[in-house]
Amino acid sequence: MTSSADLTVDGGRTAGVSDPLTVTVAGDKSVSHRALLAALLPGAPELLTVHRANLGGAVRALLPAMRALGVAVDVRGDTLVVRRGADPVPQPVRPHSGVVAWPEDAPYLQTEGSSAAARLLLGILAGTGVRAVVDGDEVLRHRPMDWLVDPLRVLGADIAYLGEPGRLPVLVAGPVHRPGTVDLAVGSAQARSGVLLAAVAAGLPVALRHPVRSRDHTERMLAAFGARLTESEGEVAHEGGDCVVPPVVDVPADPSLAVYPVAAHLLWGHGGELRVPDVCLNPTRLGFFDVLRTAGADISYEGRGTTTGGEPVGTLVARGGLGRVRRVRVDEPAVLHALIDEVPLLAAVAATLPGESWIGCAEELRFKETDRIATTAGMLEAFGADVAAVDDGLLIRGGAPLRTGEVPAFEDHRIAMAAATLAMSLPGRTTVSGGACHRTSFPDFADVQRAVGARICEDTTS
């Protein structure tokens, strides 16, 4: 899911861009993963259609694994047509030095670098009792899986590590079958979602305690499908019983993609209005916008509705620039989780502000595609920003003169897009090395940014 191609950005907005301006972004990656995996639930229809799916590398990584389980997936534009009962299409096993022999009686499911695909799939398999091996690429093989596996084992699942303990690949050999209460060690939405999917797939009564509120797409979708869920402070519970997946699921536009044209618009500060329609307005995903709103940016939400998957949607509106914003501050875990994917971009915006900004409670960023505390700091330092990385966050002293030049993306899509967006507001040319890794989550990133006035191109010859 990576690319060595670079992004080249010439700072400044192109002439002739009209205001007000409306741009659209692709479907939400998190909701797309969950909608696609809903086809594996016992209550799913034989034919499931997912409209406006995100078709970046992270979601596409799940398609071969689905096909290996006998679920056909046809891609028709931004629509996925998912059909159960197809002939399985086996995936080739990827060598692993720590595995002596792969189980021959279990399908091999390779999820590349997508942690969401791997963890949510683990939960579904543990709930349905389908025996299979879940694996990832070399990067994902080093990311923690015990956050999810330990709670599933408490519920009776038989899950074995085939290589390093706590890491992929793992063999799911037996289902969850013991009702009860489990505690999550981290606030990861992927870990919480994996356990909930297992409980609902098994029809098992389970109470799940979690240390912090994070994105709740799984809860909303399962509740919309009829799962009996109750929530209280620090806990979500499934009462048992079945759910029914509808034949069509609509995916809202991704707020984690909308942040980039909105940030570019605010950084240019030329006034006018930018509108992004049909965006997921789930409060657990709006942290980037809410933090800037609190700091004085003119951002609002209009025209709310609800999708078939239980997600609130509406139009995101940004006006003006950042002239009234002096600093940003994130020091609550729930706020951090509401912008966890946007930390590199928020830090890039903070580097242009005159005050001292703080983004904390971010220890989990050490375990993303890269150590995003370190790589965000490295990216900003390449621009000349005054930034300090600490164990749980980033301290950004704004006002330092920023420069263009060559900036590393560290083959991390969020770092690449944050770097390119910051470069749009700076005079001169910036090369974001390896920046084409944006395809992991936002294949249309350059097109969308050009629509709001950016001068950006992808070097396909690298």
Side-chain angles (χ1 to χ4, degrees), residues 29-356:
K29 179 167 68 76
S30 296
V31 177
S32 296
H33 269 134
R34 288 156 174 81
L36 183 57
L37 283 167
L40 299 177
L41 290 171
E46 182 177 339
L47 194 68
L48 171 66
T49 302
V50 181
H51 288 306
R52 197 179 186 169
N54 183 301
L55 294 177
V59 175
R60 286 184 177 274
L62 190 54
L63 305 189
M66 299 283 286
R67 292 168 181 145
L69 291 169
V71 179
V73 184
D74 295 326
V75 180
R76 303 175 185 176
D78 63 355
T79 295
L80 297 175
V81 179
V82 188
R83 180 171 53 86
R84 296 168 63 129
D87 292 331
V89 181
Q91 290 182 271
V93 175
R94 188 163 298 176
H96 188 293
S97 59
V99 178
V100 177
W102 296 91
E104 296 182 0
D105 61 342
Y108 176 81
L109 311 178
Q110 170 60 242
T111 59
E112 299 300 338
S114 176
S115 61
R119 290 178 178 140
L120 301 187
L121 185 56
L122 270 171
I124 290 276
L125 295 172
T128 57
V130 174
R131 182 179 172 88
V133 171
V134 178
D135 198 7
D137 64 12
E138 287 304 319
V139 174
L140 189 54
R141 282 174 173 174
H142 288 89
R143 295 181 67 181
M145 293 293 146
D146 50 348
W147 296 347
L148 170 61
V149 170
D150 289 350
L152 291 175
R153 284 174 166 174
V154 170
L155 299 176
D158 183 359
I159 302 176
Y161 296 113
L162 300 180
E164 181 184 352
R167 304 290 187 265
L168 296 179
V170 301
L171 169 66
V172 180
V176 297
H177 57 85
R178 287 196 295 262
T181 299
V182 295
D183 294 282
L184 284 184
V186 296
S188 166
Q190 293 174 7
R192 193 176 73 250
S193 295
V195 176
L196 281 175
L197 287 169
V200 171
L204 194 67
V206 170
L208 179 59
R209 297 174 183 152
H210 51 84
V212 61
R213 183 69 166 167
S214 54
R215 60 184 63 181
D216 62 356
H217 300 302
T218 302
E219 290 92 328
R220 289 175 181 268
M221 184 174 289
L222 291 174
F225 295 168
R228 295 186 298 171
L229 300 179
T230 58
E231 295 190 59
S232 57
E233 184 68 27
E235 182 175 299
V236 58
H238 177 242
E239 297 179 5
D242 301 326
C243 70
V244 178
V245 180
V248 177
V249 177
D250 298 312
V251 177
D254 195 330
S256 292
L257 305 186
V259 294
Y260 299 103
V262 167
H265 181 80
L266 295 174
L267 285 166
W268 279 318
H270 296 322
E273 179 180 282
L274 174 68
R275 303 175 69 86
V276 189
D278 302 320
V279 174
C280 178
L281 296 182
N282 184 320
T284 65
R285 295 291 302 283
L286 299 179
F288 177 87
F289 306 113
D290 288 344
V291 165
L292 288 177
R293 276 158 53 102
T294 299
D298 188 352
I299 301 172
S300 60
Y301 314 121
E302 298 179 357
R304 302 189 185 212
T306 306
T307 69
T308 53
E311 294 292 341
V313 294
T315 298
L316 177 66
V317 184
R319 301 178 180 88
L322 296 168
R324 294 185 297 169
V325 180
R326 292 293 175 266
R327 65 171 188 164
V328 296
R329 188 164 189 87
V330 177
D331 50 17
E332 296 179 12
V335 176
L336 185 280
H337 276 275
L339 56 77
I340 193 164
D341 287 337
E342 292 80 61
V343 166
L345 182 62
L346 185 62
V349 171
T352 71
L353 303 176
E356 184 174 277

